[in-house]
Amino acid sequence: MDRRSELAGFLRSRRARISPDQAGLPEDGRIRRVPGLRRDEVARLAGVSTEYYTRLEQGRAGNPSPEVVEALARALQLDAAEREHLIDLLARRGPVRRSPEPPQRVRPGLYLTLQTLEHVPAFVVGRRTDILASNRLAREVLTDFEALPATQRNLARYYLLDPVARERVGDWERIAAETVAVLRFEAGRYPDDRRLADLIGEFTVRVPEFTTWWNDHRVLRRTHGTKRYFHPVVGELEFSYESFHPPGDPDQILAIYNVEPGSPTAEALRLLSSWTATEERHAGR
């Protein structure tokens, strides 16, 4: 990933979405050829010179102080994920890094925790949205990740490339676009991750919508929210998901798809759990 072009694209996209009125600036009567704030307006809001901000946007300003980064984040009205992404893009790097090593592994204790969550879908996500482990209901509601080759066990790959996902995932376009934003956040943290770069390249070629979403420069961290799925056996399912960072590896996330007790989804999961358990017993005979 070319850090200069990524930084320039990110800063331009963030200032393009803010109007002078939203930034609290008076209208100066100048004709605006592009939407959003001009470089000199961002510089004024951040308390730096226009020349310095221009060099910064072009990746020629070196490593700005934390105070300047905070001032830019306020001027561009960045949220927490965007602020962290800006810091990643501004970080001065040494020689090209190899992909983070060693390969991620799920601790036995965490794996045991995952299996005890037998009434709701749950899984562990690693770098690049790799699926490191999943419980039975997660494999049933989404897809059977454990049946896939290890290199194919990836949440973004499922959402964007598996045709079944478009049928099962409610509001597929929103979820897919958010997944792309998660990948861009990952790319900012690990710009020299070859496997991530290859994954992005594959999506660029195979997913028609990907380039538009990628060029938005939107970034997201996995936290919490709602998701809907359709299962061919039990029908519609609605979840409130929560994401947790277990100790030991800051790049692992335990995702749990919670349901309201007594809700139609809770009853559907109960039936689905019973059905899958029966299928497993039959398969084992």
Side-chain angles (χ1 to χ4, degrees):
M1 185 178 73
D2 180 15
R3 187 168 294 277
R4 284 191 176 186
S5 63
E6 287 295 314
L7 176 61
F10 178 68
L11 289 175
R12 283 197 300 265
S13 70
R14 297 309 90 178
R15 64 182 172 87
R17 69 179 180 175
I18 304 174
S19 68
D21 183 62
Q22 290 173 319
L25 295 174
E27 183 57 55
D28 58 13
R30 290 184 292 173
I31 297 175
R32 294 181 181 271
R33 295 182 176 83
V34 294
L37 298 177
R38 298 186 180 88
R39 286 174 174 172
D40 64 295
E41 291 170 330
V42 176
R44 190 191 325 163
L45 290 167
V48 298
S49 70
T50 302
E51 179 186 3
Y52 178 80
Y53 177 77
T54 299
R55 287 190 289 110
L56 189 66
E57 193 172 282
Q58 295 173 345
R60 298 185 295 109
N63 197 20
S65 68
E67 292 77 16
V68 169
V69 174
E70 287 297 327
L72 283 172
R74 289 194 300 270
L76 295 171
Q77 301 178 17
L78 304 185
D79 62 24
E82 292 169 333
R83 176 186 173 279
E84 189 170 345
H85 187 61
L86 176 62
I87 293 172
D88 286 335
L89 294 179
L90 288 171
R92 303 191 71 171
R93 307 282 177 173
V96 173
R97 300 186 310 170
R98 293 182 174 86
S99 299
E101 296 292 344
Q104 290 179 290
R105 296 285 185 266
V106 175
R107 290 184 294 103
L110 178 58
Y111 186 81
L112 181 60
T113 299
L114 189 66
Q115 303 313 311
T116 61
L117 297 168
E118 58 183 15
H119 301 300
V120 294
F123 49 92
V124 179
V125 187
R127 291 186 294 269
R128 315 170 206 95
T129 74
D130 288 343
I131 298 295
L132 305 180
S134 58
N135 70 0
R136 181 158 51 94
L137 277 179
R139 296 192 295 272
E140 185 59 43
V141 171
L142 281 77
T143 192
D144 190 353
F145 293 106
E146 293 189 2
L148 299 172
T151 57
Q152 304 294 305
R153 298 172 190 172
N154 181 276
L155 190 61
R157 180 178 291 278
Y158 165 67
Y159 283 142
L160 297 177
L161 295 180
D162 191 332
V164 175
R166 294 191 182 231
E167 301 173 1
R168 283 204 178 190
V169 179
D171 198 2
W172 175 86
E173 188 169 337
R174 175 180 66 86
I175 298 301
E178 289 179 352
T179 302
V180 173
V182 169
L183 288 177
R184 185 172 270 289
F185 183 81
E186 292 269 315
R189 298 187 69 188
Y190 298 109
D192 305 309
D193 187 331
R194 175 47 52 189
R195 286 179 56 195
L196 177 57
D198 290 344
L199 187 65
I200 292 168
E202 184 177 0
F203 291 152
T204 301
V205 173
R206 298 182 59 186
V207 182
E209 305 92 339
F210 181 83
T211 299
T212 298
W213 293 332
W214 186 257
N215 289 341
D216 284 343
H217 287 271
R218 184 185 179 194
V219 292
L220 282 177
R221 295 186 64 177
R222 292 180 291 267
T223 52
H224 57 84
T226 61
K227 286 188 178 178
R228 293 182 298 107
Y229 291 85
F230 179 84
H231 191 276
V233 174
V234 297
E236 292 187 4
L237 302 167
E238 185 170 346
F239 302 100
S240 296
Y241 71 88
E242 297 286 340
S243 302
F244 306 92
H245 287 280
D249 185 344
D251 289 329
Q252 288 189 25
I253 290 177
L254 171 62
I256 302 175
Y257 282 17
N258 294 311
V259 299
E260 285 285 340
S263 66
T265 296
E267 176 61 18
L269 286 182
R270 186 187 66 79
L271 294 173
L272 186 59
S273 180
S274 176
W275 178 75
T276 55
T278 301
E279 289 290 303
E280 287 183 356
R281 285 196 298 270
H282 289 167
R285 288 177 182 175

